[in-house]
Structures are given as structure tokens and as C-alpha cells.
Amino acid sequence: MGALGVLLTYPMNPYLEEELDKRFKLFRLWESPNKKDFLRSNSASIRAVVGNSNVGADAETIDALPRLEIVSSYSVGLDKVDLKKCKEKGVRVTNTPDVLTEDVADIAIGLALAVMRRIPQADGYVRAGNWKATGDFRLTTRFSGKTVGIVGLGRIGMAIAKRAAAFGCPISYYSRTEKPETNFKYHPTIIELASNCNVLVVACPLTEETRHIVNRDVMDALGPKGVLVNIGRGPHVDEPELVKALVEGRLGGAGLDVYEEEPHVPEELFGLENVVLLPHVGSGTLETRKVMADLVLGNLEAHVQNKPLLTPVV
């Protein structure tokens, strides 16, 4: 298998990088100061790309690699892969579905709890000695029993719904189509969903249609007591409008694991006590990242051996 040249676009996982280096001829894109020159110099050898939610395979990269055969994404989302270009060029595409569902759903509930119960702030209160010096921490807001609205009732959305239901939360959702197999309340628009829930969780794929799906109107519908949780992709939310809504008190709080221009986070959010910020760690457990890496490796091996791909997308 050493003949397969694999371009790794970004430092991802030590185990994955080590195994790619063992099994294939590995090219590390980030080590070169000039991406175009690097791709031009190695285009004859690179037949596979391994990307993730930070750096995938855009049209420019695909066009620069005439021998490219497969893009194996170390993520479930494919917004950083030009699927149309891959189809045009006959390039196969795989991702890592299902395996990160449980971890991302855990983080969604964790963010809702952290925002509403002010868990990070309470932790800081104790560490700063304020409990002993000034007394009890202020009262917060209950999560149990609150109506949870989910944008996108796919695998991750369903896993979030299952967890929230265990807290006694009524579940409603907005999706492209109604899901008749569930008993959850369907809303035909995201505005209607936001108007009828306490916690709005974004869990849909990022497409042109869902970019900035959470805009000013949605935030205003969610209101000054509502909480937004985003574990989807940063561009799902109009970030400047989110900052304004939080600063002006038109939105009650936000729990964010993703941002529009990662790793850049609006500094205006840093001083807000009703916001919890995570560095895109939804799937960041040892267990899940190992399984994701094995899926990437398995797809590449299957391609080399002319076997069916494990998780084909294109």
C-alpha cells in the first residue's frame, strides 16, 4: 500500500498521522509555507486527500491534483469538501458518520446545562474564594422540563432529543421534511420553532441553504430568556448578529462549540457570563477519535484493494 500518496491537509490526530505514515506515502500540507508550490511539486504522487472540518479539499486543491482518486474526511460534515467538483472528476469521497453522534449529543446537553446553571461561573466563584468570602452563588435557571427545539433531526439531532427527553424536556424540531416516525412536534419554519422553545439546538448539516439559518429574526424569536446551542457548524449562525443579541440582552444565552472563522472567536463574547465557549471539541474523546481514524484508514485501504468503501458519500 506504500504506493498510495496521501495528502494530510491539517494536523489532526497523532494516531491517524502515524498510521498514515506507516501504511502510505504521507505528505503533510501544513509543513510547506506555499500551498500551491507544494501541490504542484507533489501532484504526480498524491492520489488521496485526508481532510477534516478545518481544511478539506476545495476546488482549487482538487484541480491541482490530477491523479486524485479519493478524499477521506476525518469528520462527518463535508462542508470543506467540494462534492460537486469531486463528482465531476470521478473522485470518491468518504466521511466518518455515526461514530461521533453520541459524543456530540453529550456536548450539546452539557452546553445547555452549563449555560443555564452557570456551571463555569460557579466553578470560578469557588476557585476565587468568593463562596467563603461572600456567601452562596446566585440562583440560576433549571434545564429540566424546558422545551428543547432542534434544528435538524438527523442522527445527532435524534441523539440530542433522546437525552433531552430524559430530562423531561418536551421536544420540537424543524427539518427539511417532517419525520413521521417520531412523536416530536414539527414546526414548518425555524422562526416558529424558535418562538416555541426555551433552548434551540443547531444540529443540521451546513449547506448554502442552512448558512446563517440562525439570523437576527430567529434570535429575536428565541428571546431574552432563550438559549442557543450550536454544535453544528459555525456558519449556521450569523455571528455578528449573535454578539449584538447577547450584548443587548435580546438573547438569554449561548453555548457554542463551533464558530464562523475557527479558531477565531469574537472577543466580545469573552466577557459575557451567559455564554459558554468550547474549542470545537464535540467529538473530542479518545474513544471516538480512534474510531474515526480507523474509518479513514479503512476507507483508504478498501480503495487501494478495490473493495467497497466503508462509508461512501460520492
Side-chain angles (χ1 to χ4, degrees), residues 52-75:
N52 66 358
S53 58
N54 291 302
V55 183
D58 57 16
E60 182 182 5
T61 301
I62 296 166
D63 284 335
L65 300 173
R67 298 192 65 201
L68 184 62
E69 300 169 6
I70 183 171
V71 175
S72 187
S73 185
Y74 182 67
S75 67

Side-chain angles (χ1 to χ4, degrees), residues 41-112:
S41 300
N42 296 287
S43 61
S45 301
I46 296 172
R47 294 160 49 205
V49 170
V50 173
N52 66 358
S53 58
N54 291 302
V55 183
D58 57 16
E60 182 182 5
T61 301
I62 296 166
D63 284 335
L65 300 173
R67 298 192 65 201
L68 184 62
E69 300 169 6
I70 183 171
V71 175
S72 187
S73 185
Y74 182 67
S75 67
V76 65
L78 292 165
D79 48 287
K80 294 299 175 69
V81 178
D82 193 321
L83 296 178
K84 182 180 179 182
K85 179 68 72 171
C86 286
K87 290 174 184 176
E88 290 174 0
K89 298 274 189 177
V91 175
R92 303 301 307 275
V93 179
T94 66
N95 64 346
T96 58
D98 298 323
V99 297
L100 49 72
T101 298
E102 305 303 324
D103 284 347
V104 176
D106 288 349
I107 282 289
I109 298 299
L111 279 168

Side-chain angles (χ1 to χ4, degrees), residues 15-202:
Y15 165 75
L16 174 61
E17 189 172 336
E18 182 180 329
E19 289 300 314
L20 287 171
D21 210 12
K22 282 181 185 177
R23 305 183 197 193
F24 310 105
K25 184 176 181 181
L26 185 61
F27 298 86
R28 297 170 174 86
L29 181 60
W30 68 92
E31 291 183 349
S32 173
N34 191 305
K35 172 184 172 182
K36 290 184 179 179
D37 288 347
F38 182 85
L39 293 177
R40 189 182 304 114
S41 300
N42 296 287
S43 61
S45 301
I46 296 172
R47 294 160 49 205
V49 170
V50 173
N52 66 358
S53 58
N54 291 302
V55 183
D58 57 16
E60 182 182 5
T61 301
I62 296 166
D63 284 335
L65 300 173
R67 298 192 65 201
L68 184 62
E69 300 169 6
I70 183 171
V71 175
S72 187
S73 185
Y74 182 67
S75 67
V76 65
L78 292 165
D79 48 287
K80 294 299 175 69
V81 178
D82 193 321
L83 296 178
K84 182 180 179 182
K85 179 68 72 171
C86 286
K87 290 174 184 176
E88 290 174 0
K89 298 274 189 177
V91 175
R92 303 301 307 275
V93 179
T94 66
N95 64 346
T96 58
D98 298 323
V99 297
L100 49 72
T101 298
E102 305 303 324
D103 284 347
V104 176
D106 288 349
I107 282 289
I109 298 299
L111 279 168
L113 286 165
V115 173
M116 299 176 79
R117 298 303 306 271
R118 298 291 195 266
I119 292 174
Q121 291 75 22
D123 175 87
Y125 189 83
V126 173
R127 292 174 188 269
N130 292 330
W131 189 19
K132 183 178 180 181
T134 61
D136 291 345
F137 189 68
R138 66 186 181 279
L139 299 180
T140 58
T141 302
R142 172 187 295 172
F143 172 68
S144 295
K146 294 294 192 294
T147 300
V148 174
I150 301 174
V151 183
L153 204 64
R155 297 183 186 93
I156 294 174
M158 283 295 295
I160 294 168
K162 178 181 177 182
R163 286 159 173 73
F167 281 85
C169 297
I171 308 298
S172 54
Y173 70 99
Y174 164 71
S175 188
R176 284 180 300 176
T177 57
E178 189 170 357
K179 311 290 184 183
E181 67 275 13
T182 75
N183 294 321
F184 305 138
K185 182 173 178 55
Y186 174 71
H187 291 282
T189 69
I190 188 172
I191 294 286
E192 184 178 306
L193 176 66
S195 299
N196 288 279
C197 68
N198 307 113
V199 181
L200 185 69
V201 184
V202 184

Side-chain angles (χ1 to χ4, degrees), residues 269-292:
L269 298 177
F270 294 167
L272 300 180
E273 287 203 349
N274 56 342
V275 178
V276 175
L277 306 170
L278 299 182
H280 201 157
V281 293
S283 64
T285 65
L286 294 170
E287 298 86 350
T288 288
R289 293 294 172 88
K290 169 69 162 55
V291 178
M292 288 170 64

